[in-house]
Amino acid sequence: MVSTTLLLPILLGCMVGQKRASDMVDVVKLCPQIKIDLRYGTKHNGVGAAVYPVGSRCLLRRGTADRLIKVQKQLGKKGLGLLVWDAYRPLSAQKALWAVKPDPRFVAPPARGSRHNRGAAVDLTLVDKDGHELPMPSGFDEFSIRARPTYKGGSKSSRANRDILRAAMMAQGFFPDKNEWWHFNDPDWPNYGLVDVSLRR
């Protein structure tokens, strides 16, 4: 028989001491300089279909958003900026993604949940001062070796752009994913529970 003590955190929706969804913030409202193109609100993603409502909000935990804003400010001094492709991802959307792409290298199983489902991970790329995306070794959600941060192929300039993004994110404490150059995690992610918050405005 499973202990009620062990089940309690699951029933409550998050572990004791973890912050709830009340500290989720809209990134655009905090920092309009950060560009947004939520790909899961379109068909331009790894599953080829929209799983977010049109015009969805770009949400993150407040601490994660604060780190991201610092990255934007530092890049802005170099005439560069950030374009966010995905941030907080509702658990219901995670289930939809897993149904299409049940590959744990790229999509976390819904039963475990991802750092996106906690509002503590972000998928993004670099843009120039005019908001144009800079070349990278692979496209977003390209499930291949070209997506790895250690990939040695592609053009020299695309690898340099990838490395600039990586260095800027890591300077503010984010740590990268080993399979996706665009994915970065907030080191405080264990403090946040899985939540299913609406992205509708």
Side-chain angles (χ1 to χ4, degrees):
M1 183 176 180
V2 180
S3 168
T4 303
T5 302
L6 293 176
L7 282 176
L8 185 58
I10 299 172
L11 295 172
L12 290 175
C14 61
M15 295 295 289
V16 174
Q18 289 181 330
K19 297 177 183 178
R20 297 179 184 273
S22 58
D23 67 336
M24 207 78 79
V25 295
D26 189 321
V27 174
V28 175
K29 289 183 178 179
L30 289 181
C31 185
Q33 291 75 28
I34 296 177
K35 306 300 181 185
I36 305 296
D37 179 16
L38 295 184
R39 291 293 183 86
Y40 290 114
T42 74
K43 63 179 182 180
H44 304 297
N45 54 59
V47 298
V51 294
Y52 293 168
V54 175
S56 291
R57 297 176 297 167
C58 179
L59 303 180
L60 285 172
R61 299 289 182 163
R62 180 61 193 243
T64 309
D66 287 344
R67 289 180 189 274
L68 198 65
I69 291 169
K70 290 178 182 178
V71 176
Q72 172 66 36
K73 289 180 177 179
Q74 290 303 311
L75 288 173
K77 296 176 182 179
K78 304 175 182 179
L80 300 173
L82 298 172
L83 171 67
V84 175
W85 286 324
D86 197 22
Y88 165 69
R89 182 187 303 155
L91 194 55
S92 53
Q94 191 73 21
K95 293 176 181 177
L97 291 177
W98 182 256
V100 178
K101 188 73 176 179
D103 186 339
R105 292 175 302 169
F106 298 100
V107 180
R112 170 165 55 89
S114 78
R115 289 156 189 169
H116 279 294
N117 304 144
R118 293 168 165 81
V122 61
D123 295 342
L124 74 179
T125 191
L126 280 182
V127 294
D128 63 20
K129 61 182 178 62
D130 296 316
H132 300 131
E133 291 182 38
L134 298 183
M136 292 292 181
S138 81
F140 173 61
D141 264 9
E142 182 177 322
F143 302 128
S144 73
I145 61 171
R146 290 188 294 272
R148 294 177 184 171
T150 55
Y151 177 61
K152 303 299 183 183
S155 68
K156 183 177 180 180
S157 61
S158 70
R159 294 195 305 273
N161 291 334
R162 176 194 66 194
D163 294 344
I164 289 171
L165 175 64
R166 181 186 176 101
M169 294 293 285
M170 292 182 70
Q172 298 303 329
F174 287 98
F175 64 94
D177 183 89
K178 65 179 181 180
N179 292 310
E180 302 171 345
W181 62 259
W182 57 82
H183 179 104
F184 294 87
N185 302 290
D186 185 332
D188 293 330
W189 73 266
N191 294 329
Y192 305 118
L194 297 172
V195 289
D196 206 352
V197 176
S198 173
L199 295 179
R200 294 186 183 278
R201 293 185 181 278

